[in-house]
Amino acid sequence: MPCIQCENGYKWGETGDCKYKTLQECQEANTYDIVELVIDENNEALAIDAISLVTSPAIEQDFIYFNAVESNLTLASVDEEQRLIVSPALIPYKQIYRYDAQKDKQYYVYFTADTVRQAAEAYMKHHNTNNATIQHEDKVTGVHTIESWLVQDSKKDKSNLYGYELPAGTWFVSMRVENDAVWERIKSGELKGLSIEGYFVDKMETLGSQKMAEPIGEINGLPLFENEQDAIDYSKELGCEGVHRHEVDGTTYFMPCSDHEITESILEILEDAKANEVVLNKNIDYQTLLNSYSDYPKAASNNAKKAIKWKEKNGSKCGTRVGWTRARQLADRKPISRDTIARMASFKRHQQHKDVPYSEGCGGLMWDAWGGSSGVNWAISKLKQIDRE
């Protein structure tokens, strides 16, 4: 998280006030977006256009270099200067901090192992191995990628010889530096690591813009199809696999994704993306998504019940369908997924509106619909526990 130490404690980002006593207090008081980046199918050649030598690599891993005086190899000694650097180029699921100055927005991005693989392959396929820059600005000659590989086993990989032990799926490169000026800047310690240059897109924006097949009906707002293949095609567009069946008046219909809760979760994320709300999109395998939890406090259920009761009595246009579906889950004390818990935790960003009376706006009503303070605080703590486990 972008909590930065300041004179009297910690502040949130470069523009924040120095008001937190501890790092933990700063981290718990602030939420942030996590965005998955993917390769644009229409611009694969630009996926990794160049590799830049930088003073502060985004993936927080410095490269190592080899010469006659200082060799980090654990094999035979080097007799002559190799002018070789070895470094990870991309680490899967590594959260990389970003700041959008135009929107004054701080967030994180990450790449899945599959996207890292695609990027590494595209870099070689489109002959970009001689494209290098300094600090993402000045193009330089005489810097060439001579080797590229993906880690298969973090403990039995060639990178272990150079002192690294990074996750499976990490993309490593070795680069030969024939440019004297660049090599001197590396040896002096000015240039410390590598940073990719490329064109990627927000996965959720990509999914939200895709045209879905037309369902013939719905159950609780989720799409139904008469034809199994239509449901399979819809699953592919959503990014899940398989279908599951529903019986309605003796007729079998098909719903995308192999499990009902997966369908709910993905469509909930898409709906929020279209509404331009915060997207908390960590990479979660389907088994994790299916795990559910019901140990949230009774106060969270009571808050949800109170919000639902007021809505049913007075009517309200506040919130979305999926938001009220979550409120009903909490009210009925049904198990909820890790994805739902993450969304409850991210609702912390709305706490400044929690005291708005139900009759005067949406703030207080939707705060309670998502479990209120007891529910949101539980979700923040529970999410840390789940991810730690």
Side-chain angles (χ1 to χ4, degrees):
M1 292 185 184
C3 285
I4 301 174
Q5 192 165 13
C6 50
E7 183 178 354
N8 298 316
Y10 291 85
K11 63 180 181 178
W12 175 252
E14 296 291 349
T15 60
D17 295 328
C18 192
K19 61 181 180 179
Y20 302 105
K21 294 181 179 178
T22 66
L23 175 62
Q24 181 178 359
E25 181 184 355
C26 175
Q27 293 175 339
E28 291 180 350
N30 295 280
T31 58
Y32 56 95
D33 295 1
I34 305 177
V35 178
E36 179 186 349
L37 295 183
V38 296
I39 293 175
D40 185 350
E41 293 180 356
N42 299 318
N43 291 282
E44 184 195 68
L46 299 178
I48 304 293
D49 185 47
I51 292 181
S52 188
L53 291 85
V54 296
T55 57
S56 181
I59 58 174
E60 299 172 354
Q61 291 284 339
D62 294 352
F63 57 56
I64 57 177
Y65 71 93
F66 310 107
N67 59 29
V69 177
E70 180 178 352
S71 173
N72 291 304
L73 282 167
T74 56
L75 300 176
S77 62
V78 180
D79 294 330
E80 60 182 6
E81 190 171 73
Q82 296 189 65
R83 297 206 177 195
L84 181 72
I85 60 175
V86 177
S87 175
L90 275 180
I91 303 173
Y93 311 112
K94 172 75 175 181
Q95 294 180 17
I96 303 170
Y97 173 67
R98 286 289 177 264
Y99 174 69
D100 187 333
Q102 292 183 335
K103 298 180 180 179
D104 190 25
K105 180 180 180 181
Q106 301 174 89
Y107 63 102
Y108 281 83
V109 298
Y110 75 96
F111 303 89
T112 66
D114 191 51
T115 299
V116 171
R117 176 190 59 77
Q118 293 176 38
E121 291 177 359
Y123 175 69
M124 302 298 290
K125 173 182 175 182
H126 296 284
H127 310 292
N128 292 326
T129 55
N130 294 323
N131 296 345
T133 66
I134 300 295
Q135 300 286 45
H136 295 293
E137 294 178 355
D138 302 323
K139 290 185 177 181
V140 293
T141 59
V143 179
H144 315 285
T145 298
I146 61 172
E147 195 174 12
S148 170
W149 76 92
L150 295 173
V151 174
Q152 301 297 319
D153 186 328
S154 61
K155 296 184 180 297
K156 298 178 181 180
D157 186 74
K158 178 179 179 178
S159 60
N160 300 152
L161 299 174
Y162 308 134
Y164 294 105
E165 187 176 316
L166 293 175
T170 298
W171 174 28
F172 268 90
V173 296
S174 59
M175 304 182 77
R176 185 81 66 194
V177 182
E178 299 172 347
N179 185 308
D180 293 342
V182 173
W183 186 244
E184 288 302 318
R185 294 174 72 177
I186 291 172
K187 291 198 298 181
S188 71
E190 177 192 351
L191 300 176
K192 298 179 180 296
L194 303 182
S195 180
I196 62 168
E197 293 184 9
Y199 181 74
F200 296 86
V201 293
D202 181 339
K203 179 180 180 181
M204 298 319 298
E205 290 181 1
T206 302
L207 288 176
S209 65
Q210 292 176 346
K211 182 179 181 181
M212 303 296 185
E214 291 296 330
I216 58 100
E218 62 179 39
I219 292 180
N220 296 332
L222 302 177
L224 279 180
F225 298 86
E226 284 184 309
N227 184 282
E228 184 175 7
Q229 187 58 49
D230 288 342
I232 292 174
D233 292 341
Y234 200 98
S235 294
K236 292 178 181 178
E237 292 180 344
L238 289 178
C240 61
E241 296 180 352
V243 298
H244 61 280
R245 294 167 172 77
H246 288 274
E247 296 288 333
V248 181
D249 297 330
T251 302
T252 300
Y253 294 94
F254 302 91
M255 186 174 286
C257 306
S258 59
D259 181 88
H260 191 81
E261 188 172 355
I262 291 176
T263 313
E264 276 191 328
S265 299
I266 292 178
L267 290 177
E268 180 177 348
I269 292 172
L270 287 175
E271 185 166 321
D272 268 10
K274 291 178 181 179
N276 199 30
E277 295 181 1
V278 166
V279 177
L280 185 61
N281 176 36
K282 284 188 174 181
N283 189 74
I284 307 165
D285 61 53
Y286 290 134
Q287 186 56 51
T288 303
L289 188 61
L290 288 172
N291 291 341
S292 57
Y293 310 84
S294 57
D295 55 330
Y296 45 87
K298 288 185 178 180
S301 298
N302 292 335
N303 288 333
K305 287 179 181 178
K306 183 171 63 173
I308 292 171
K309 183 177 181 180
W310 191 91
K311 181 178 185 290
E312 291 175 345
K313 180 180 179 180
N314 300 281
S316 174
K317 294 182 179 179
C318 295
T320 64
R321 171 185 57 78
V322 290
W324 286 108
T325 298
R326 291 295 171 260
R328 177 57 64 185
Q329 281 183 304
L330 294 175
D332 294 342
R333 295 206 62 78
K334 291 184 177 180
I336 57 177
S337 68
R338 183 254 180 231
D339 182 63
T340 298
I341 294 170
R343 300 176 68 74
M344 287 177 64
S346 71
F347 210 75
K348 178 84 170 180
R349 66 189 187 278
H350 295 302
Q351 66 176 343
Q352 68 269 30
H353 305 300
K354 66 184 179 67
D355 296 323
V356 175
Y358 288 4
S359 58
E360 296 180 13
C362 296
L365 180 64
M366 295 315 300
W367 180 258
D368 285 342
W370 280 86
S373 297
S374 57
V376 171
N377 291 333
W378 168 84
I380 293 171
S381 175
K382 186 69 175 180
L383 187 62
K384 292 179 181 178
Q385 175 192 331
I386 294 171
D387 290 348
R388 186 166 57 246
E389 294 173 351

